[in-house]
């Protein structure tokens, strides 16, 4: 057993800080030692800001010593994905296009974390402009020959290495959930509009969601209490009150019905991953949950066959609009992302509009199916295979998005929680949408 504070989850560390059994400075210093130990192999950070984290820690320790009120995250170090604007701190989105960009303001998500007392430990790697699932050059801490997933791979790897108890990420087609599953950590793609995207470098506004990453789902619940809420600077944020995210896990799940979409999400999944997810679901059944195998909604097979195309059409079209200055800076993009951006150029308006119609139909069908079966969630493996091995001779390749994209299309909240470890000693993520 390690005696390092860096090994503690947010849920474990908060009471120790509050009771002054652990100082925030000690926590940050332990995290910095872990970074020094792990970073040469993992390379999760693109920019480190230890002074900012230590300053926040000292403020928190001084306030607690004086008996003054502090924020819920006072002194907690946070790793911030390098697509969030951070005032005075380099923000590159993993691209040479923004190699020297130092913003003059903070993203709304970081504003809320900082207002709660958190300190920035550094900026984590991302697939260039969050347009992919590999997060080069970061390695997966469970097997450094493999990718950590992406595009929030740096944040997931930092969490898995115990470099930090809290991190942030974004999710367009699975960029929170995929690296969380690949690295054995927790995350939530919340309802679109629950967390402000103000100050996030966009990829596809129709799908982009910002959110937290941590080691336990209860940590995520605490973070959602800080992050969720309306922001007039982001017109897409919801004005309704955020739900009461729980501060303790439910013990009795009697009456909870979980659907298993076998045809869509359980077929063609690596058997070693599927068995771990089934065992995790058995734990929920032992607490009273009921599993219901379901078929796809009527007509969904046709839409399902087009679902990736629906996502690609909308995503590529919007990415091209955002990167409309590509012609001026094309030489600064990596070849892989440059070609992805260019693909959106030839998408006609009628195809983009048809994709949105198919998206609405997909969403309606799945909502109706959940209502008719009285389902609380849909469960399946977050990714269908082990994270790919890194091949430095080819363009970066990450896990497939086929199991995460359906809920991005449907705008369903979807989490990924660690389900266990497979026969290869690799972590497995369970998705609940």
């Amino acid at each position: 057993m390690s005696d390092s504070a860096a090994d503690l989850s947010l849920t474990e560390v908060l009471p120790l800080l509050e009771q002054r059994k652990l100082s925030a400075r000690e926590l940050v210093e332990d995290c910095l030692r872990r970074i020094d130990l792990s970073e040469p192999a993992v390379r999760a950070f693109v920019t480190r800001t230890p002074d900012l984290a230590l300053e926040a820690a000292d403020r928190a320790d001084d306030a607690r010593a004086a008996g003054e009120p502090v924020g819920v995250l006072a002194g907690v170090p946070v790793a911030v994905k390098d697509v969030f604007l951070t005032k005075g701190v380099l923000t590159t989105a993993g691209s040479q296009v923004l190699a020297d960009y130092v913003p003059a303001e903070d993203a709304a998500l970081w504003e809320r974390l900082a207002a709660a007392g958190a300190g920035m430990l550094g900026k984590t790697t991302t697939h260039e402009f969050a347009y992919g699932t590999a997060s080069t050059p970061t390695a997966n801490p469970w097997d450094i020959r493999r990718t950590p997933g992406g595009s929030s791979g740096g944040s997931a790897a930092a969490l898995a290495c115990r470099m930090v108890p809290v991190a942030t990420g974004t999710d367009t087609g699975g960029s929170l959930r995929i690296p969380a599953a690949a690295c054995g950590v927790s995350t939530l793609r919340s309802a679109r509009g629950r967390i402000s995207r103000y100050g996030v470098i966009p990829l596809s506004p129709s799908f982009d969601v910002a959110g937290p990453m941590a080691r336990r789902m209860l940590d995520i619940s605490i973070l959602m209490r800080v992050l969720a809420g309306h922001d007039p600077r982001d017109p897409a944020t919801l004005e309704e009150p955020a739900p009461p995210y729980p501060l303790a896990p439910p013990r009795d799940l009697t009456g909870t019905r979980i659907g298993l979409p076998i045809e869509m999400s359980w077929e063609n999944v690596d058997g070693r991953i599927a068995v771990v997810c089934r065992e995790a679901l058995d734990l929920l059944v032992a607490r009273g949950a009921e599993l219901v195998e379901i078929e796809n909604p009527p007509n969904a097979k046709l839409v399902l066959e087009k679902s990736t195309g629906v996502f690609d059409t909308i995503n590529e079209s919007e990415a091209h609009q955002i990167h409309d200055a590509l012609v001026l800076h094309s030489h600064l993009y990596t070849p892989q992302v440059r070609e992805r951006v260019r693909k959106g150029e030839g998408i006609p308006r009628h195809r983009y509009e048809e994709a949105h119609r198919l998206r609405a139909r997909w969403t309606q069908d799945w909502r109706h199916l959940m209502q008719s079966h009285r389902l609380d969630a849909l469960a399946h493996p977050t990714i269908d295979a082990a994270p790919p091995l890194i091949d430095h001779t080819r363009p970066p390749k990450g896990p497939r998005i086929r199991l995460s994209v359906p809920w991005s299309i449907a705008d369903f909240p979807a989490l990924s929680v660690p389900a266990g470890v497979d026969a290869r000693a690799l972590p497995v993520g369970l998705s609940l949408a």
Side-chain angles (χ1 to χ4, degrees), residues 60-317:
D61 287 338
D62 290 346
R64 289 189 176 104
E68 298 172 358
V70 296
V72 66
L73 300 176
V76 174
V78 177
V80 180
K81 182 178 179 179
D82 201 28
V83 295
F84 291 93
L85 301 190
T86 45
K87 185 178 180 179
V89 178
L90 192 65
T91 301
T92 71
S95 179
Q96 286 299 308
V97 177
L98 299 178
D100 302 314
Y101 178 45
V102 178
E105 62 178 339
D106 286 322
L109 179 142
W110 174 242
E111 280 182 347
R112 290 198 173 220
L113 291 174
M120 189 191 312
L121 197 57
K123 306 293 289 290
T124 50
T125 59
T126 174
H127 207 112
E128 184 178 27
F129 287 112
Y131 210 171
T133 62
S135 299
T136 303
T138 306
N140 192 314
W142 290 78
D143 180 351
I144 61 171
R145 301 172 303 164
R146 297 180 184 273
T147 174
S151 61
S152 307
S155 288
L159 286 165
C161 259
R162 307 310 197 242
M163 299 181 196
V164 70
V166 174
T168 71
T170 58
D171 189 305
T172 302
S175 288
L176 280 166
R177 293 162 286 162
I178 289 169
C183 294
V185 300
S186 299
T187 196
L188 169 68
R189 176 192 167 92
S190 60
R192 194 160 54 97
R194 185 67 71 200
I195 295 174
S196 174
R197 296 176 302 184
Y198 180 80
V200 180
I201 295 172
L203 175 61
S204 176
S206 290
F207 296 121
D208 293 346
V209 168
M213 304 180 84
R215 293 202 282 274
R216 299 175 61 184
M217 280 311 304
L218 199 56
D219 298 349
I220 299 296
S221 193
I222 293 169
L223 293 167
M224 287 300 296
R225 285 176 168 240
V226 172
L227 297 173
H230 179 65
D231 180 357
R233 297 169 300 179
D234 178 1
T237 51
L238 302 172
E239 296 194 30
E240 66 190 46
Y245 298 101
L247 296 179
R251 298 296 173 187
D252 184 2
L253 296 177
T254 301
T256 301
R257 290 169 58 85
I258 300 174
L260 306 183
I262 300 298
E263 181 183 4
M264 185 180 81
S265 302
W266 287 85
E267 292 180 351
N268 302 315
V269 170
D270 185 309
R272 291 163 289 192
I273 290 174
V275 71
V276 174
C277 287
R278 286 283 192 170
E279 289 170 354
L281 289 170
D282 288 343
L283 297 177
L284 303 185
V285 171
R287 291 193 178 185
E290 180 183 358
L291 303 183
V292 183
E293 292 193 2
I294 59 170
E295 297 179 353
N296 290 343
N299 304 317
K301 188 169 180 61
L302 173 63
V303 182
L304 173 61
E305 291 170 353
K306 297 182 178 181
S307 66
T308 301
V310 165
F311 176 81
D312 287 346
T313 296
I314 297 172
N315 185 36
E316 289 168 4
S317 179

Side-chain angles (χ1 to χ4, degrees), residues 389-396:
L389 294 168
I390 297 169
D391 183 350
H392 296 289
T393 67
R394 308 179 73 176

Side-chain angles (χ1 to χ4, degrees), residues 343-361:
K343 283 176 71 175
E345 185 175 12
I347 296 174
R349 184 71 189 178
H350 71 84
R351 225 176 95 204
Y352 177 77
E353 292 171 350
E354 173 63 14
H356 273 289
R357 284 192 288 272
L358 284 168
R359 180 187 190 187
R361 177 176 164 189

